């Protein structure tokens, strides 16, 4: 088995390490590198409040208090994949022992001008999925009067229909991620804490131009980690860590990773509920407010989260003159414009939370890498000079739900097996001519972070 270095311990990195360790004969040949420390014994972090120092370690969309788990997709590819994942959420011991998964169902509000609800229903029916029977059509009055009347004041003007799907739910996101990492480490995977300073090419010091591929990565403290295969599961930081090696090899235009996936952020708002409020809002399933975002039921510690589809980039110019988007450093700072946007979202969904001048208790900027089609890159790098470099990036704000299974598909790519023509095309390197309608198109960034200051 070749030595494999996985850079990034988010969903792609953690799931790949887990599935590699399960299927390959010598897990000690696998190293996973991340900026955060190795996982401690399995503990849930959904009770963790906002850090008092206002600074969080650099972490992407995988690190969160909760994430939605659902199979409701207009794309048959992702509906099938999500149904496969949901079965694993329910059966894998690593998740069952910690009880990270809650099947709350969700109520989806269908915007008048959207064909997505029709496509979802058709996909459930055509696919012959058992989840089809979990969908119950509702009218506005039923929605307002259900779940203890918590949606009685919700603004429903933009919507024409509603449905409840009992198969959906949510997970303790960081608890589940750390549990899978613990399992991988327990199977023999080596975990290294550090930050990539640069990609090291073979022959780079002898005028070879890196033609021998990637040797490994140099860390900020000077250590060099070497491997025969290197997997970048670096999420929103992919362009930043790739920029220097792209410059070194003279890669331009569509050959640069920024043209494939780019870092995007959204602002998520949180309310710390009282115990009485937690009991009230725990009756609510996941609320899908059309294409504008969701409300996720409160955690055990009473944190109620509102998501948003107002996305943005943070564009910088590299030393070589290339524009790339990178996450901002302080993920708990929301500028005035983003706070205003978040308050508008809360006011439309659960306006009673803003009675008497109440505001969210804290905000978080959630970053991910997003592609134009919202398909990820799960592929070998196309430049032959980087032939042993692989990418598993581009979660596009909807890939967390695939944590239990996505790693086995990445392993196939590392092994040169492939995942069949549909997945290989969707997850391969994209050409500039491709113009596919994405499954999460409302999250394509239309703003810069500085626009909200």
């Amino acid at each position: 088995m070749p030595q494999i270095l996985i850079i990034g311990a988010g969903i792609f990195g953690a799931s790949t390490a887990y599935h590699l360790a399960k299927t390959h004969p010598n897990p000690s040949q696998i190293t996973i590198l991340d900026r955060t420390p190795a996982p401690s014994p399995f503990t849930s972090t959904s009770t963790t409040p906002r850090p008092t120092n206002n600074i969080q370690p650099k972490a992407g969309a995988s690190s969160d208090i909760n994430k939605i788990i659902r199979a409701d997709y207009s794309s048959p590819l992702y509906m099938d994949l999500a149904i496969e994942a949901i079965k694993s959420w329910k059966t894998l011991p690593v998740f069952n022992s910690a009880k990270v998964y809650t099947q709350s169902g969700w109520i989806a509000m269908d915007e008048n001008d959207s064909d997505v609800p029709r496509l979802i229903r058709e996909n459930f029916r055509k696919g012959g999925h058992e989840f089809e029977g979990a969908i119950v059509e509702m009218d506005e009055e039923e929605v307002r009067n259900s779940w203890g009347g918590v949606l009685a004041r919700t603004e429903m003007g933009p919507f024409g229909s509603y449905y409840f799907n009992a198969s959906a739910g949510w997970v303790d996101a960081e608890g589940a991620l750390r549990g899978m990492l613990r399992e991988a480490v327990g199977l023999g995977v080596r975990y290294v804490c550090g930050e990539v300073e640069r990609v090291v090419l073979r022959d780079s010091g002898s005028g070879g131009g890196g033609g021998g591929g990637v040797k490994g990565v140099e860390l900020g403290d000077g250590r060099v980690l070497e491997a025969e295969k290197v997997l970048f599961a670096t999420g929103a930081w992919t362009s930043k860590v790739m920029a220097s090696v792209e410059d070194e090899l003279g890669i331009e235009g569509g050959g640069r990773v920024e043209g494939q996936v780019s870092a995007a952020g959204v602002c998520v708002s949180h309310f710390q509920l009282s115990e009485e409020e937690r009991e009230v809002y725990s009756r609510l399933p996941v609320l899908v407010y059309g294409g504008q975002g969701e409300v996720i039921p409160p955690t055990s510690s009473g944190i109620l989260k509102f998501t948003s589809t107002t996305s943005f980039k943070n564009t910088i110019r590299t030393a070589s003159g290339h524009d790339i988007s990178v996450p901002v450093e302080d993920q708990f700072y929301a500028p005035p414009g983003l706070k205003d946007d978040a308050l508008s979202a809360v006011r439309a969904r659960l306006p009673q939370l803003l009675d008497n001048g109440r505001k969210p208790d804290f905000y978080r900027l959630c970053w991910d890498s997003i592609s134009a089609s919202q398909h990820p890159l799960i592929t070998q790098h196309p430049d032959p000079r980087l032939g042993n470099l692989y990418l598993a990036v581009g979660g596009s704000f909807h890939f967390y739900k695939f944590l239990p299974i996505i790693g086995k598909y990445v392993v196939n790519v590392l092994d040169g097996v492939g995942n069949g023509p549909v997945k290989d095309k969707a997850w391969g390197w994209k050409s500039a001519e491709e113009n596919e309608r994405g499954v999460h198109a409302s999250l394509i960034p239309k703003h810069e972070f500085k626009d909200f200051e």
Side-chain angles (χ1 to χ4, degrees):
M1 175 182 174
Q3 289 183 318
I4 298 175
L5 171 61
I6 302 168
I7 303 171
I11 60 162
F12 287 109
S15 188
T16 302
Y18 170 83
H19 284 280
L20 274 172
K22 283 282 191 180
T23 59
H24 282 61
N26 190 358
S28 64
Q29 295 287 90
I30 306 162
T31 299
I32 189 164
L33 167 70
D34 199 80
R35 287 170 288 206
T36 57
S40 57
F42 199 120
T43 55
S44 169
T45 57
S46 59
T47 59
T48 304
R50 177 179 185 268
T52 55
N53 65 0
N54 203 39
I55 300 293
Q56 174 184 291
K58 296 175 181 177
S62 299
S63 178
D64 201 352
I65 61 170
N66 49 28
K67 292 289 187 187
I68 297 170
I69 307 299
R70 46 90 177 187
D72 305 53
Y73 271 102
S74 59
S75 161
L77 165 60
Y78 292 116
M79 179 174 284
D80 292 345
L81 201 69
I83 288 173
E84 180 188 353
I86 288 172
K87 291 175 181 176
S88 292
W89 281 114
K90 292 179 177 180
T91 58
L92 277 183
V94 66
F95 302 132
N96 285 338
S97 62
K99 298 179 180 178
V100 295
Y101 176 66
T102 300
Q103 187 174 328
S104 63
W106 82 354
I107 176 66
M109 299 186 172
D110 304 333
E111 287 162 318
N112 288 305
D113 59 351
S114 174
D115 65 347
V116 170
R118 175 183 59 81
L119 293 172
I120 288 172
R121 290 162 174 76
E122 288 180 358
N123 288 340
F124 273 121
R125 184 178 66 254
K126 291 177 181 177
H129 298 303
E130 64 269 29
F131 290 172
E132 180 190 0
I135 293 180
V136 177
E137 304 291 342
M138 301 181 73
D139 61 31
E140 181 177 323
E141 184 177 359
E142 288 176 311
V143 173
R144 291 193 185 278
N145 293 330
S146 297
W147 309 296
V150 293
L151 300 179
R153 293 170 57 185
T154 300
E155 172 54 53
M156 298 186 187
F159 309 108
S161 62
Y162 312 84
Y163 74 88
F164 175 76
N165 187 342
S167 72
W170 57 278
V171 295
D172 168 2
E174 189 158 350
L177 179 69
R178 292 177 69 80
M180 182 160 270
L181 285 168
R182 267 193 74 242
E183 189 79 4
V185 171
L187 290 168
V189 172
R190 178 188 177 210
Y191 192 108
V192 176
C193 184
E195 186 161 357
V196 174
E197 184 71 22
R198 69 184 182 94
V199 178
V200 180
L201 296 173
R202 294 178 184 147
D203 303 321
S204 59
S206 60
V214 173
K215 181 178 181 181
V217 294
E218 181 180 343
L219 307 187
D221 59 9
R223 288 178 293 167
V224 175
L225 301 181
E226 299 182 16
E228 294 166 73
K229 293 185 178 182
V230 179
L231 173 70
F232 274 39
T234 40
W237 287 268
T238 302
S239 285
K240 186 175 181 180
V241 296
M242 283 289 293
S244 63
V245 71
E246 290 172 334
D247 288 348
E248 186 173 349
L249 294 176
I251 298 174
E252 296 290 342
R256 296 180 77 94
V257 76
E258 180 71 16
Q260 297 288 307
V261 296
S262 184
V266 294
C267 183
V268 182
S269 53
H270 306 77
F271 288 83
Q272 177 62 66
L273 305 180
S274 66
E275 180 57 28
E276 182 180 4
E277 289 176 317
R278 190 190 70 79
E279 292 180 5
V280 169
Y281 288 102
S282 290
R283 304 170 188 168
L284 187 67
V286 173
L287 168 60
V288 184
Y289 198 71
Q292 302 176 48
E294 302 90 13
V295 184
I296 303 180
T299 64
S300 60
S301 63
I303 300 176
L304 184 67
K305 186 176 88 172
F306 289 73
T307 71
S308 170
T309 55
T310 300
S311 63
F312 44 84
K313 291 187 176 186
N314 180 47
T315 302
I316 65 168
R317 181 154 291 180
T318 67
S320 60
H322 294 90
D323 289 339
I324 63 172
S325 179
V326 299
V328 299
E329 290 292 324
D330 185 351
Q331 296 190 23
F332 283 94
Y333 168 67
L338 283 178
K339 289 183 178 179
D340 291 343
D341 184 76
L343 286 173
S344 296
V346 175
R347 190 172 294 111
R349 301 173 204 177
L350 295 176
Q352 61 267 33
L353 284 173
L354 300 180
D355 288 347
N356 302 313
R358 186 180 187 181
K359 294 182 179 179
D361 289 281
F362 66 97
Y363 302 88
R364 185 199 167 199
L365 304 184
C366 182
W367 291 89
D368 200 359
S369 55
I370 189 168
S371 68
S373 64
Q374 293 88 72
H375 290 309
L377 288 178
I378 303 178
T379 187
Q380 185 176 17
H381 198 288
D383 192 309
R385 296 171 295 177
L386 299 172
N388 64 330
L389 175 63
Y390 298 79
L391 296 147
V393 297
S396 300
F397 296 102
H398 73 106
F399 251 72
Y400 184 94
K401 64 182 68 65
F402 306 124
L403 170 67
I405 62 168
I406 197 62
K408 73 177 185 179
Y409 295 105
V410 181
V411 170
N412 285 341
V413 172
L414 288 170
D415 287 346
V417 175
N419 292 300
V422 174
K423 292 183 180 71
D424 289 346
K425 182 179 186 301
W427 300 345
W429 195 267
K430 281 72 173 168
S431 69
E433 292 75 30
E434 293 181 44
N435 187 25
E436 182 179 348
R437 174 183 174 180
V439 298
H440 220 179
S442 59
L443 277 161
I444 294 292
K446 300 178 181 65
H447 307 278
E448 285 286 336
F449 179 73
K450 64 183 180 182
D451 297 339
F452 297 98
E453 293 283 1

